[in-house]
Amino acid sequence: MHTLVSATSTSCKRFSIFLLALLLSGCASQVSGPLRFDDSMKSRGQSGRIDIIVLHYTASTKPSALMTLTNRDVSAHYVVTDDKPPIVYRLVNEDKSAWHAGESSWYGKTFLNQRSIGIEIVHPGWTKNSNGDKGMPYSDTQIAAVIELTRDIAKRNNISPENIVGHSDIAPMRKIDPGPSFPWKKFAQAGVGRWFDEAAAAKYEANFIRTGYPDAGWFQKQLKRVGYQVPESNYFDAGTLAAIGAFQMHYRPDRVTSRPDPQTAARLMALPTTGSGL
């Protein structure tokens, strides 16, 4: 009996020592003090999280826009007001996603909130019509502020000109902002955005007037080449016509018909896939 008790006692002591060893081992493996990081080496397999800038108009007054963008489930990183001089409100830090793009696509990338910066411009908006009215013009001071802001964001994030777009470009079936009065050519001339080769476009247009504009399949391939999401139906369906309208608002704002024609085909053909085109 004494032998059994001694054996049991010895086993308990050994088990206790084992548990203590495990505990000490666990304590020893814990980091003492803050983690230390070595940033001397970098991976080549990486890119910036932000690669698109999306421009919007508010279709409202400044008070209404700020109320909406700060109290509802819609937001933007920046708001540029129509004050003189304009005020730039930063509503969302650039390291966070703002809810401004919605269902969207550009060069095959979809749901762009996670990879874009949204800029809202206080403007009354535009109602699409057939009389050629482009809507209320943006003021020179407001556009100067938007150009400066956009240039700064693009430089810091290495965003290429073709990825500075309007809401209508990335969601042509749903959106028409920033509308045909937005001066995209002026942006491109300031080094912020893309434009087409006007000399080449004039030659292409003369040729298309003689021969007729291309078919739906051609338009779909060209629109896709320059970033737009379009069906590949080989006919002028609603999605293709909406993309044509978005292209016209950006590159032929004097006449937005959402219909194919020689001039639209020529400007589309003269638009580079990348770069400013100027």
Side-chain angles (χ1 to χ4, degrees), residues 162-176:
E162 67 274 11
N163 287 337
I164 299 173
V165 296
H167 204 182
S168 55
D169 293 311
I170 64 172
M173 289 288 285
R174 302 187 301 111
K175 298 296 180 178
I176 58 175

Side-chain angles (χ1 to χ4, degrees), residues 12 23-24 26 38 47 49 56 58 94 122 124 132 145-146 172 181 183 192 201 211-212 214 234 249 256 268:
C12 289
L23 180 60
L24 291 175
D38 186 333
S47 60
R49 185 185 68 82
H56 309 253
T58 61
E94 289 186 18
V122 174
V146 178
S181 67
V192 185
T211 64
N234 291 316
M249 277 189 279
V256 180
L268 182 55

Side-chain angles (χ1 to χ4, degrees), residues 4-276:
L4 179 59
V5 171
S6 298
T8 302
S9 177
T10 302
S11 298
C12 289
K13 289 179 180 179
R14 290 175 178 173
F15 185 69
S16 298
I17 293 170
F18 175 72
L19 288 177
L20 179 60
L22 283 178
L23 180 60
L24 291 175
S25 175
C27 291
S29 66
Q30 294 178 358
V31 176
S32 177
L35 288 174
R36 296 178 60 191
F37 296 94
D38 186 333
D39 293 320
S40 62
M41 301 181 69
K42 298 296 180 183
S43 172
R44 61 180 294 179
Q46 61 177 304
S47 60
R49 185 185 68 82
I50 300 299
D51 58 9
I52 299 171
I53 298 173
V54 182
L55 302 176
H56 309 253
Y57 62 41
T58 61
S60 66
T61 63
K62 169 186 165 181
S64 178
L66 291 173
M67 178 66 70
T68 298
L69 292 167
T70 57
N71 289 279
R72 298 185 185 176
D73 289 339
V74 60
S75 58
H77 293 88
Y78 298 96
V79 176
V80 181
T81 73
D82 54 356
D83 296 296
K84 295 181 180 180
I87 301 169
V88 180
Y89 288 93
R90 180 162 48 207
L91 303 185
V92 179
N93 289 337
E94 289 186 18
D95 61 351
K96 297 183 181 298
S97 296
W99 301 345
H100 66 98
E103 185 177 350
S104 50
S105 176
W106 191 245
Y107 279 109
K109 303 165 185 173
T110 58
F111 296 98
L112 301 177
N113 282 339
Q114 301 298 319
R115 62 191 312 145
S116 64
I117 296 294
I119 301 174
E120 287 277 1
I121 308 164
V122 174
H123 183 274
W126 174 68
T127 301
K128 192 171 184 179
N129 54 65
S130 58
N131 61 15
D133 177 22
K134 296 197 297 181
M136 181 74 70
Y138 293 82
S139 74
D140 289 340
T141 55
Q142 189 179 42
I143 289 302
V146 178
I147 287 175
E148 183 179 350
L149 173 62
T150 305
R151 180 188 288 119
D152 176 63
I153 296 168
K155 184 177 181 180
R156 285 187 286 102
N157 292 279
N158 196 31
I159 297 173
S160 55
E162 67 274 11
N163 287 337
I164 299 173
V165 296
H167 204 182
S168 55
D169 293 311
I170 64 172
M173 289 288 285
R174 302 187 301 111
K175 298 296 180 178
I176 58 175
D177 57 312
S181 67
F182 190 79
W184 286 109
K185 181 178 178 179
K186 187 173 183 177
F187 257 59
Q189 289 172 331
V192 185
R194 174 176 61 173
W195 198 247
F196 60 91
D197 183 328
E198 294 186 353
K203 294 179 182 178
Y204 295 145
E205 183 178 354
N207 184 59
F208 286 138
I209 289 173
R210 289 195 307 270
T211 64
Y213 60 78
D215 62 16
W218 182 93
F219 271 91
Q220 289 165 349
K221 288 179 181 178
Q222 289 294 318
L223 286 164
K224 188 174 182 180
R225 175 184 68 82
V226 298
Y228 293 87
Q229 181 181 33
V230 287
E232 296 182 12
S233 61
N234 291 316
Y235 68 92
F236 290 109
D237 52 42
T240 302
L241 295 178
I244 289 173
F247 176 85
Q248 290 170 341
M249 277 189 279
H250 197 133
Y251 300 104
R252 212 265 306 267
D254 293 330
R255 190 156 58 94
V256 180
T257 64
S258 298
R259 306 294 303 181
D261 57 54
Q263 188 177 65
T264 301
R267 295 188 179 190
L268 182 55
M269 192 170 180
L271 183 67
T273 302
T274 61
S276 69

